[in-house]
Amino acid sequence: MTEETRIVSAEFVAGAPSVDKLPAPALAEIAFAGRSNVGKSSLMNMLMGRKGLVRASNTPGRTREINVFLAKSLDGLALHLVDLPGYGYAKVSKTEKKSWGPMMEGYLASRTTLRAIVLLVDIRRGVEEDDLELVAYMNAARRLSVEENVKASLIVVATKLDKLSLAKQKPAVQALKNAAKMPVLGFSAVTGAGRDELWAKIRAAL
Ligand SMILES: Nc1nc2c(ncn2[C@@H]2O[C@H](COP(=O)(O)OP(=O)(O)OP(=O)(O)O)[C@@H](O)[C@H]2O)c(=O)[nH]1
Ligand SMILES: [Mg+2]
């Protein structure tokens, strides 16, 4: 990260249990999605350089609301970073599981300022069924969007890289790329590995 792209301020904007209660789309938006406990909140904290801003926890399924944050960089970039509720956690109620799909569809179809979805997967687990479901929702939202206003790109991040030995990290990312047949960026919220590369991808998507 260069001095110009450094994040100079980051703040919580709003939390909403459903899409219709979110503030209207205004700034360019980047959303973070992935299974419960995969590390979405931790990654967002690392991106914004603010340790406790986005609540991270040991209790999977904790982030139930859509949380919007505002980040500003020294060179004048201002964007919304959106923490989406995690999926795939066995212990959430049936009603909650049922509401996830429509919520994602609603979000994807209505956020005209959405520029990219960062999809997080665990480096040790790779891309799973639930993740593919999210990708399918994204594709469906693109097709359904009448005004063609949903042009969000997909950025796949393999996180918790630090859980593997240094020697195993590169091969694991490569294996995941091959399996997913798309670019995958290695990341660690503990070491900060991949942070600058992810910011570069996010900026390229704006
Ligand atoms: N070692 C390691 N642990 C991580 C990393 N990222 C997150 N964790 C840990 O994984 C757990 C879950 O992290 P969160 O950031 O809360 O995950 P989340 O995806 O936001 O979880 P939900 O909001 O419940 O869906 C916490 O104990 C984090 O400390 C990482 O890169 N490396
Ligand atoms: Mg979270």
Side-chain angles (χ1 to χ4, degrees):
M1 176 172 274
T2 61
E3 175 60 16
E4 297 79 58
T5 59
R6 186 168 60 84
I7 298 301
V8 287
S9 82
E11 62 185 83
F12 175 72
V13 176
S18 58
V19 180
D20 54 306
K21 299 204 170 58
L22 281 179
L27 291 175
E29 197 159 290
I30 305 289
F32 298 81
R35 299 175 70 86
S36 290
N37 219 38
V38 73
K40 297 175 292 297
S41 303
S42 305
L43 175 142
M44 292 178 69
N45 280 326
M46 175 54 84
L47 274 184
M48 292 187 278
R50 291 279 303 276
K51 262 197 166 156
L53 185 62
V54 191
R55 278 163 71 194
S57 77
N58 289 314
T59 319
R62 171 139 159 213
T63 314
R64 299 270 162 85
E65 297 205 318
I66 302 171
N67 288 310
V68 182
F69 298 85
L70 168 64
K72 289 180 183 163
S73 66
L74 190 63
D75 62 350
L77 182 73
L79 76 167
H80 278 159
L81 302 183
V82 178
D83 195 2
L84 294 171
Y87 48 80
Y89 182 54
K91 282 184 189 162
V92 301
S93 69
K94 272 197 181 137
T95 22
E96 229 169 299
K97 266 188 191 161
K98 267 193 194 155
S99 66
W100 185 82
M103 195 214 73
M104 280 311 301
E105 273 179 316
Y107 178 80
L108 291 166
S110 66
R111 303 306 281 179
T112 50
T113 50
L114 184 66
R115 296 290 176 264
I117 292 250
V118 178
L119 171 61
L120 281 79
V121 299
D122 190 312
I123 186 66
R124 300 160 301 175
R125 299 179 66 150
V127 179
E128 298 177 279
E129 275 297 302
D130 294 335
D131 304 315
L132 294 174
E133 211 174 300
L134 176 84
V135 176
Y137 275 125
M138 277 187 75
N139 292 332
R142 277 202 200 101
R143 279 197 301 272
L144 286 174
S145 157
V146 201
E147 308 99 62
E148 304 251 335
N149 48 15
V150 182
K151 294 198 186 84
S153 44
L154 176 68
I155 302 172
V156 182
V157 169
T159 193
K160 305 198 182 181
L161 207 58
D162 60 281
K163 295 265 189 187
L164 300 180
S165 69
L166 211 52
K168 286 190 177 151
Q169 291 178 6
K170 264 194 183 170
V173 174
Q174 190 56 50
L176 223 157
K177 273 183 201 168
N178 296 343
K181 296 189 184 73
M182 49 186 148
V184 176
L185 183 68
F187 187 91
S188 166
V190 171
T191 67
R195 179 178 188 263
D196 294 354
E197 292 86 343
L198 181 53
W199 263 124
K201 283 202 175 206
I202 288 172
R203 280 180 170 255
L206 299 174

